[in-house]
Structure formats: C-alpha cells, structure tokens
Amino acid sequence: MRLIAKTQITYGNREYERGQELPKDAALATRWVEAGTAYWKDDEVETKKKVKAKAVTAPAGVTGLAQPATSVAEPDLVGKVPSPKARGVVKEKTKRAPKKKG
C-alpha cells in the first residue's frame, strides 16, 4: 500500500503535489488520512471514477472587431451578454404557495 497526497503537502523541506507518494511516517500518515489530505492506495486494485466537473469561468466570447475610442479597428474579443437570469433581471418562481387571505 502507498500513501498518496490529495492536496499539496509540505513535509521535510519538500513539497508533494497531488497524486505523489508520501513518506510513510506513521504519526503523520494517520493525521493526513483523518484530515482528508491523503489516502491509502492499494497497488493491486485500481478503481476509476468519472470526474464530473462544472465550469466556473465566464463563457467565451466571439472574436470580432472592436472600435476603441481611438477609432483604430483592431481584432479583439467581443464578449457575450449574460442571460437575463444571470443578471438578476428575471425573478425565479417561488417554491412556496402564496398566502391565503382570510
């Protein structure tokens, strides 16, 4: 079994990146595993899990000509206008039923 780093760990004047094997110091190994920064990997069993990622950056714009104040046309990135929901213009429907008067 090997001890593998989940996050960047500095130990003994050396930095271990994600996925690198860590030294098997018994006292620190249990602490790393308990903290969730490392895990034990069995060399015989390999399990692959699909990673589901979510985009966290803005959508890319389109290339085009932008006219700056100097009136010199240069190729530039022209951004997209965000959707009304993203701008907060459109209110989302409430999940609760309206209060009954009476």
Side-chain angles (χ1 to χ4, degrees):
M1 291 185 68
R2 300 181 310 159
L3 186 62
I4 306 296
K6 283 186 179 179
T7 61
Q8 184 179 2
I9 296 176
T10 304
Y11 173 71
N13 293 333
R14 182 167 177 219
E15 289 198 15
Y16 295 91
E17 296 295 326
R18 184 174 177 222
Q20 287 185 326
E21 187 174 358
L22 294 167
K24 296 175 186 170
D25 184 0
L28 285 176
T30 56
R31 289 183 182 168
W32 286 332
V33 172
E34 288 173 359
T37 57
Y39 64 96
W40 289 103
K41 182 178 180 182
D42 192 8
D43 293 334
E44 299 162 2
V45 179
E46 286 282 334
T47 58
K48 290 189 177 184
K49 293 182 180 179
K50 289 186 178 180
V51 178
K52 294 182 180 180
K54 186 175 182 180
V56 293
T57 59
V62 293
T63 56
L65 292 177
Q67 295 288 338
T70 60
S71 70
V72 177
E74 297 177 2
D76 200 0
L77 185 67
V78 180
K80 291 182 182 178
V81 176
S83 68
K85 188 174 181 180
R87 289 182 290 171
V89 176
V90 178
K91 291 184 178 180
E92 293 184 18
K93 292 181 182 178
T94 59
K95 295 180 181 177
R96 283 195 271 166
K99 292 183 181 179
K100 293 181 181 179
K101 295 181 181 179

